[in-house]
Amino acid sequence: MGTTFSEVTPFLQFLLPGFLAAWMFYGLTSHPKPGQFERTIEALVFTIVVQGLTELIRMLLEAVGRPLAIAAWTTTSHLLWSVIVAILLGSVVAAAVNKDVFHTWLRKKGLTSRSAHPSEWFCVLASHSSDVILHLKDGRRLTGWPKEWPVDPCLGQFYLQDPAWVLEDGPPLVLDALDGIIIRADDVRWVELLPARGGDDGISS
């Protein structure tokens, strides 16, 4: 006998907050989305956490409402609170990952040497406030402030502000007429980091 829509709907409502939290996480971080199976597992983990926090909220509200009940806890209120919790959970986890909060604590405890950033490439560029020199595959060198950079060294683009061509002889050729220049990551052989300077940190794309 086939499964009816009315039987599937409660199951979808149960899973929806977890997928919403996962969607918030990947929307607010630079982590690439994994395969469908891994994303489903992550959504299920988020679902368990969200449902547990929602149940805790229900218990607290019912305890507060015993002296003077305002409204009954219903399926609709459960869904509403689970969606709110999912949005907050996904946002908080994303902020903690972007700030490397969890891994910073773990590194201090000697439990890991890794960071929360998606790659070593991203970690270095995110934590080092300095101009860079891009060595292009055609032999030219371009320097500037990396306002944006790709998560993957083979995909995406660099956006350099205050760009200048580094010449073999003589001072750099500053491109004063430009606000910035976009370079494909695939055209870059390697990146040199110059000593730190003042200014805003780059923002990852």
Side-chain angles (χ1 to χ4, degrees):
M1 185 174 180
T3 303
T4 65
F5 178 75
S6 60
E7 294 173 333
V8 173
T9 299
F11 181 68
L12 293 177
Q13 290 180 347
F14 178 79
L15 294 178
L16 174 63
F19 282 97
L20 178 58
W23 178 78
M24 290 292 298
F25 173 79
Y26 286 107
L28 297 175
T29 67
S30 296
H31 282 259
K33 293 181 180 179
Q36 188 62 46
F37 177 76
E38 289 81 3
R39 289 164 62 184
T40 301
I41 296 300
E42 291 177 354
L44 291 175
V45 173
F46 274 120
T47 295
I48 294 173
V49 176
V50 169
Q51 295 299 340
L53 292 175
T54 303
E55 184 64 18
L56 179 61
I57 291 174
R58 181 192 67 80
M59 296 171 59
L60 292 174
L61 290 178
E62 288 182 346
V64 172
R66 285 196 186 104
L68 181 62
I70 299 176
W73 182 273
T74 64
T75 303
T76 301
S77 57
H78 181 90
L79 178 61
L80 177 61
W81 273 106
S82 62
V83 169
I84 294 174
V85 171
I87 294 174
L88 293 176
L89 178 63
S91 301
V92 169
V93 173
V97 169
N98 287 332
K99 295 294 184 180
D100 199 24
V101 174
F102 300 134
H103 283 73
T104 297
W105 182 81
L106 292 174
R107 287 195 300 273
K108 290 180 179 179
K109 298 298 181 181
L111 299 177
T112 184
S113 60
R114 308 294 294 177
S115 74
H117 298 304
S119 65
E120 293 83 358
W121 165 279
F122 183 92
C123 179
V124 171
L125 290 173
S127 61
H128 197 83
S129 298
S130 70
D131 284 359
V132 299
I133 298 178
L134 303 183
H135 289 251
L136 306 183
K137 292 181 178 179
D138 61 7
R140 293 181 296 171
R141 292 181 294 167
L142 183 67
T143 185
W145 176 260
K147 183 64 176 178
E148 297 187 15
W149 61 87
V151 176
D152 190 311
C154 298
L155 299 173
Q157 298 84 31
F158 284 90
Y159 176 57
L160 296 187
Q161 290 187 321
D162 303 327
W165 290 109
V166 179
L167 306 178
E168 293 295 336
D169 299 317
L173 177 60
V174 180
L175 305 177
D176 292 324
L178 302 182
D179 176 70
I181 188 169
I182 298 175
I183 299 292
R184 293 197 322 168
D186 188 49
D187 293 330
V188 178
R189 296 178 61 188
W190 66 77
V191 179
E192 289 185 47
L193 301 179
L194 299 179
R197 71 170 190 177
D200 295 334
D201 290 342
I203 302 174
S204 70
S205 59

